């Protein structure tokens, strides 16, 4: 059975991840305790875990502040993803490993379906699972652990950006992952690496224009 701390942590984290609690929001322990129908003690335990993950910070005598994830932090995560993607391709080429075509296709179809339904959170999750499936091909559990430790910040950033910019075009990873999938099916691994690198450089340029240093 989950402890009250686990329950509080999961609920507050879910609300942060889905943008119910947007960056800049100021929450109080009392409000959270009332919302979750529990004492402040498990709330404090949950907050401590969320602080260690970098999603919130406690402000003395003010409450809990939901932190904004910076462009620099997201770019750092994207650099890690690029390295893992490129390594997965090299592993397939050099070690004779294979990509799970059926799994990649499943996640791609889920992405495309999410766009049709305008379900951006589902789209982001499916896109992340597509990338995770690519990295799984390298057969390196430590690499997967590294990805899993940082992927939620990318998901959170994407959902917040989607909510803040409804006038902009989203779902760009559908075209990217479709092209990657087709290249994987054709065993054109040079093209897979090119697509991954090009996507990273495109995002990097966009972030630089946004003022990142």
């Amino acid at each position: 059975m989950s402890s009250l701390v686990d329950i509080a942590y999961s609920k507050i984290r879910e609300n942060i991840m889905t943008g119910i609690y947007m960056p800049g929001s100021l929450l109080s322990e009392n409000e959270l305790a009332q919302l979750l129908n529990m004492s402040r003690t498990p709330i404090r335990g949950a907050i401590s875990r969320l602080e260690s993950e970098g999603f919130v910070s406690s402000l003395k005598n003010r409450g809990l502040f939901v932190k904004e994830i910076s462009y620099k932090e997201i770019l750092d995560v994207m650099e890690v993803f690029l390295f893992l993607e490129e390594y997965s391709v090299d592993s397939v080429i050099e070690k004779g490993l294979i990509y799970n075509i059926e799994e990649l296709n499943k996640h791609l179809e889920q992405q495309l379906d999410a766009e049709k339904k305008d379900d951006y959170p589902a789209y982001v999750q499916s896109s992340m699972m597509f990338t995770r499936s690519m990295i799984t091909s390298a057969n390196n559990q430590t690499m997967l652990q590294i990805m899993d430790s940082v992927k939620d910040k990318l998901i959170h950033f994407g959902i917040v950006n989607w909510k803040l910019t409804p006038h902009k075009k989203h779902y760009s990873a559908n075209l990217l992952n479709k092209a990657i999938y087709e290249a994987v099916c054709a065993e054109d691994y040079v093209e897979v690496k090119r697509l991954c690198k090009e996507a990273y450089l495109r995002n990097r340029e966009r972030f630089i224009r946004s003022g990142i240093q």
Side-chain angles (χ1 to χ4, degrees):
M1 180 179 295
S2 298
S3 69
L4 289 178
V5 173
D6 292 334
I7 294 171
Y9 164 80
S10 296
K11 184 59 180 177
I12 297 169
R13 195 179 194 277
E14 178 185 356
N15 287 346
I16 291 172
M17 289 294 298
T18 57
I20 293 175
Y21 300 152
M22 292 288 281
S25 298
L26 192 61
L27 312 170
S28 74
E29 289 183 3
N30 286 336
E31 290 173 340
L32 292 171
Q34 290 175 8
L35 177 68
L36 299 177
N37 193 29
M38 59 181 65
S39 71
R40 292 169 60 183
T41 300
I43 298 297
R44 291 193 188 107
I47 289 172
S48 177
R49 287 170 64 177
L50 290 165
E51 279 189 294
S52 69
E53 293 178 352
F55 286 110
V56 302
S57 59
S58 293
L59 302 179
K60 189 174 181 180
N61 300 322
R62 292 187 61 191
L64 179 69
F65 180 75
V66 180
K67 295 174 65 175
E68 179 180 8
I69 299 178
S70 69
Y71 284 129
K72 177 63 170 67
E73 191 170 0
I74 291 304
L75 187 57
D76 288 348
V77 172
M78 288 181 172
E79 286 180 344
V80 170
F81 275 33
L82 176 62
F83 170 80
L84 297 178
E85 288 166 339
E86 291 183 329
Y87 184 82
S88 76
V89 176
D90 291 338
S91 295
V92 168
I93 296 172
E94 297 168 8
K95 300 179 183 179
L97 303 175
I98 59 172
Y99 285 109
N100 188 327
I101 300 294
E102 290 184 1
E103 188 174 271
L104 286 173
N105 183 62
K106 180 186 74 172
H107 296 311
L108 177 59
E109 290 298 321
Q110 289 172 343
Q111 280 182 242
L112 299 175
D113 185 59
E115 180 176 14
K116 291 176 183 177
K117 296 176 180 177
D118 196 24
D119 186 348
Y120 194 84
Y123 152 79
V124 174
Q125 290 284 354
S126 298
S127 174
M128 201 61 58
M129 291 307 296
F130 181 95
T131 300
R132 194 181 193 279
S133 181
M134 287 182 62
I135 294 170
T136 299
S137 67
N139 194 28
N140 187 312
Q141 289 300 311
T142 300
M143 287 172 56
L144 287 177
Q145 290 170 5
I146 291 171
M147 178 183 175
D148 289 340
S149 71
V150 296
K151 67 180 175 60
D152 282 354
K153 289 191 175 181
L154 200 57
I155 292 172
H156 177 244
F157 180 87
I159 291 175
V160 168
N161 182 61
W162 169 67
K163 286 197 166 189
L164 291 176
T165 58
H167 57 288
K168 292 186 178 181
K169 185 177 180 180
H170 296 280
Y171 301 99
S172 61
N174 280 349
L175 290 175
L176 170 65
N177 287 351
K178 186 173 185 295
I180 289 174
Y181 174 75
E182 290 172 352
V184 167
C185 290
E187 298 185 5
D188 187 351
Y189 301 128
V190 172
E191 176 66 1
V192 173
K193 291 182 75 170
R194 187 194 69 79
L195 288 165
C196 292
K197 185 66 172 290
E198 183 180 78
Y200 164 76
L201 292 175
R202 185 166 56 248
N203 283 317
R204 180 175 180 272
E205 179 63 26
R206 179 162 58 91
F207 288 172
I208 289 174
R209 291 199 302 269
S210 299
I212 189 173
Q213 298 296 325

